[in-house]
Every structure is written in structure tokens, then in C-alpha cells.
């Protein structure tokens, strides 16, 4: 039986052309074909690194058909690399159908890690990074957008979004409206590029900055929102400590009920606090 080829998922720069690994360049030189979202766009990167591997397109509109063709080639022994316009393929970019089908066909899929705008923004934003929730792009339609934000009202992890320059102001307004103006936001703009900017503030402060100068709305954006923190101001520290102790021995529902009745507090508040603690 013929030896199958491999699929390499190769991260490329998100702005600064130097942000690519040696391994990524080697792989792009060695594979038989590179599947790229936009071949003309990727040609510039390949030229820069003197890579002359053949490029074919794989984008949202031809992915399932292309995936089939690529899999047939891999089954004949050819190696394929997948790249996107910027950053890590499959992260708000095409490639899921291809990888999923390769896995189903027992073909080897090898990640070649590198730049990703979400991670790049997060590591320098100054918000908590122990837990985060990546949301990609918010829906474009108003109702769906509001619903998506509604679901994040009590999300305690840092939330990370991608946004286009066309919608950034509108999105910040929605964030203020749905999540309130107390949350800390960080807008990370033009990462790794000449005009890289990190802007921190509440939704209204970020909106004011974006609208004070049209130039501020140009470029690529990652938006980060600090996680929701329950106001425990009306729950005495002693009650919180008792809840923590009881939670180690009892189911949360029972622990919350006992503490609530002892301190004359709302069971639901303690239950929600318990969920956050756990
Ligand atoms: N796969 C990419 C990654 O790994 O980050 C993301 C692709 S997604 C189609 C493009 C979005 O990523 C942009 O609209 C923007 O929100 C974000 N992005 C990409 N490059 C960026 C940069 N240099 N600075 C800020 N955001 C960027």
C-alpha cells in the first residue's frame, strides 16, 4: 500500500513578516502543495521567504470540494500544507472541514504553531489569562449579536473577540449596552505592525477614543473584555468562608441553602457565588 502524505497546519504572521518559525518555512518549502485562503495574498509571504511550492486555493466557498481533492492527493502520498491569510488556520479561518475529514480518514495532521491574534492580544493586554473564552466574530445581525452578548453577562472568564474596522464602534456600543459600563475592556489594534496600539478603558471610554479620530477605527482589532465579577459586597466574609468549608463536604445546593438560612441571605446568590468559587 502506498504511504499516505501528511497535512501540515502552518501558522503564518499576523502583520510582521518576521513572525514565522524556521520550521514553518522548512515545511512550506518541502510540501508538494500549499492550500491557501487567498493565493495572491499568500504569494507575497512565499516570495519573501523564497518558497516556490505550488499554491492552490481553499476558502469558505470551496472547502468541502477542495478537501476531497486534497485528501485524494494525500492518499497518493503527497504532503499538503494549509495556511490562511494571517495567523493560525482554523482560528476564525477555513480548514475545519479538511482537518475533520483527514482525521476521519486516518490521515496524519501536524500543527506547526505560530502567531494567533487572540493569543498575541491576550498575553499583553493586562487582563486575567488563567481562563478565557474565545468568541471569534460576533454575529452581524443585531438580534443575534445582542443574544450572543446576553449569554456572556455572567461569564467570569476574560472574553476575546475579533472585529472588523467597519463594526468596531457598533460592537463597543453593544458591549456597553448589554454588559454595562463597569467592565474593563482592552482594544488591541494592528498587532505586530507599525501602529500597534493597546487601549484600555470602559466601553464608553473606548468608544470615545474610537470616535475622536477616524484613523483610530482603521486597522485590525482584537477586543478583550474582563470577566464578570459578582458583587459580593452584601455577602459577609464569614458567610463566604462558611460556604467554602461546607462546599468541601456537601453538594453546592445544600451548602448554599444552609449558609443562606444561617445568615438570612438569598440562596440563589450563594449558589452562584459557589459556582464561581468552584
Ligand atoms: N487566523 C487568524 C488568527 O490566528 O488570529 C485570525 C483570522 S480572522 C479572519 C481575522 C481577524 O483577526 C481580524 O479581523 C482581526 O480581528 C484579527 N486580527 C488578525 N490580525 C490582527 C492584527 N495584526 N492585529 C489585530 N487583530 C488582528
Amino acid at each position: 500500500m502506498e504511504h499516505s502524505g501528511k497535512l501540515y497546519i502552518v501558522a503564518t504572521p499576523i502583520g510582521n513578516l518576521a513572525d514565522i518559525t524556521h520550521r514553518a518555512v522548512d515545511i512550506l518549502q518541502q510540501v508538494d502543495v500549499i492550500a491557501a485562503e487567498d493565493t495572491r495574498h499568500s504569494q507575497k509571504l512565499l516570495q519573501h521567504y523564497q518558497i516556490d511550492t505550488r499554491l492552490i486555493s481553499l476558502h469558505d466557498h470551496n472547502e468541502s470540494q477542495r478537501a476531497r481533492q486534497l485528501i485524494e492527493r494525500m492518499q497518493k502520498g503527497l504532503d499538503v500544507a494549509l495556511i490562511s491569510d494571517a495567523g493560525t488556520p482554523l482560528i476564525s479561518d477555513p480548514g475545519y472541514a479538511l482537518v475533520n475529514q483527514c482525521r476521519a480518514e486516518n490521515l496524519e495532521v501536524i500543527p506547526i504553531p505560530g502567531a494567533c491574534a487572540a493569543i498575541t492580544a491576550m498575553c499583553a493586554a493586562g487582563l486575567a489569562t488563567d481562563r478565557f473564552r474565545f468568541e471569534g466574530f460576533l454575529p452581524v445581525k443585531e438580534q443575534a449579536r445582542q443574544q450572543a452578548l446576553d449569554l456572556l453577562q455572567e461569564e467570569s472568564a476574560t472574553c476575546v473577540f475579533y472585529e472588523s474596522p467597519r463594526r468596531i464602534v457598533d460592537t463597543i456600543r453593544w458591549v456597553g449596552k448589554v454588559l454595562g459600563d463597569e467592565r474593563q475592556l482592552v482594544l488591541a489594534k494592528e498587532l505586530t505592525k507599525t501602529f500597534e496600539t493597546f487601549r484600555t478603558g470602559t466601553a464608553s471610554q473606548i468608544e470615545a477614543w474610537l470616535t475622536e479620530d477616524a484613523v483610530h477605527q482603521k486597522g485590525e482589532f482584537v477586543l478583550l473584555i474582563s470577566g464578570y465579577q459578582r458583587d459580593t459586597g452584601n455577602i459577609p466574609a464569614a458567610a463566604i468562608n462558611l460556604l467554602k468549608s461546607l462546599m468541601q463536604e456537601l453538594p453546592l445546593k445544600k451548602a448554599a441553602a444552609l449558609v443562606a438560612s444561617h445568615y438570612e441571605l438569598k440562596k440563589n446568590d450563594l449558589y452562584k457565588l459557589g459556582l464561581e468559587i468552584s
Side-chain angles (χ1 to χ4, degrees):
M1 201 182 113
E2 262 175 308
H3 196 69
S4 294
K6 299 180 177 70
L7 172 66
Y8 295 90
I9 306 298
V10 182
T12 58
I14 55 168
N16 188 322
L17 278 189
D19 291 332
I20 187 164
T21 66
H22 292 291
R23 188 172 170 222
V25 173
D26 287 347
I27 295 288
L28 293 176
Q29 259 153 0
Q30 285 159 18
V31 291
D32 298 288
V33 64
I34 300 173
E37 207 182 345
D38 177 343
T39 52
R40 265 193 299 178
H41 174 92
S42 294
Q43 196 62 58
K44 290 180 204 140
L45 175 77
L46 300 191
Q47 262 161 13
H48 184 83
Y49 285 100
Q50 293 164 1
I51 297 166
D52 54 12
T53 309
R54 197 159 79 84
L55 274 170
I56 63 165
S57 72
L58 182 145
H59 44 69
D60 284 337
H61 306 292
N62 71 356
E63 183 171 351
S64 52
Q65 176 208 358
R66 264 290 194 260
R68 216 40 271 152
Q69 294 166 354
L70 289 170
I71 284 171
E72 280 165 20
R73 290 186 198 189
M74 289 167 65
Q75 283 164 338
K76 289 182 182 145
L78 298 184
D79 286 332
V80 175
L82 175 71
I83 60 176
S84 61
D85 286 353
T88 303
L90 279 89
I91 307 301
S92 293
D93 265 340
Y96 165 69
L98 176 62
V99 173
N100 185 263
Q101 286 177 40
C102 282
R103 290 273 174 215
E105 306 263 355
N106 273 326
L107 290 163
E108 210 175 329
V109 183
I110 301 173
I112 310 294
C116 172
I119 302 294
T120 306
M122 208 163 31
C123 70
L127 298 183
T129 52
D130 52 341
R131 291 172 53 247
F132 62 89
R133 176 163 169 169
F134 177 63
E135 285 284 314
F137 291 93
L138 277 167
V140 175
K141 294 214 172 110
E142 218 167 77
Q143 201 187 356
R145 177 172 278 239
Q146 171 154 12
Q147 275 168 3
L149 285 170
D150 271 339
L151 291 174
L152 299 175
Q153 291 212 25
E154 298 205 355
E155 175 55 72
S156 56
T158 297
C159 294
V160 185
F161 303 85
Y162 285 160
E163 197 47 282
S164 75
R166 260 175 305 136
R167 276 190 284 274
I168 190 66
V169 173
D170 198 39
T171 292
I172 300 288
R173 283 188 187 133
W174 273 105
V175 168
K177 208 149 78 176
V178 179
L179 302 181
D181 204 29
E182 295 77 39
R183 300 279 188 107
Q184 196 177 37
L185 271 49
V186 178
L187 195 59
K189 185 183 149 168
E190 294 290 88
L191 292 163
T192 77
K193 304 186 202 176
T194 313
F195 297 106
E196 179 178 275
T197 306
F198 282 83
R199 197 80 205 176
T200 302
T202 62
S204 56
Q205 288 166 341
I206 300 278
E207 183 189 336
W209 179 75
L210 282 167
T211 49
E212 83 189 9
D213 185 340
V215 171
H216 293 170
Q217 294 167 39
K218 294 210 169 103
E220 299 197 274
F221 297 94
V222 179
L223 170 65
L224 302 103
I225 306 179
S226 60
Y228 171 74
Q229 283 180 332
R230 178 166 300 286
D231 179 9
T232 55
N234 60 352
I235 303 181
I240 298 173
N241 289 337
L242 179 61
L243 179 69
K244 283 182 185 164
S245 305
L246 290 179
M247 276 168 63
Q248 289 173 10
E249 309 294 334
L250 299 171
L252 174 57
K253 211 168 161 188
K254 183 88 190 153
L258 284 173
V259 179
S261 89
H262 189 76
Y263 286 94
E264 295 184 355
L265 296 165
K266 280 190 189 150
K267 223 171 12 184
N268 204 28
D269 284 351
L270 286 151
Y271 183 77
K272 284 185 178 165
L273 178 64
L275 284 179
E276 278 166 31
I277 294 170
S278 63

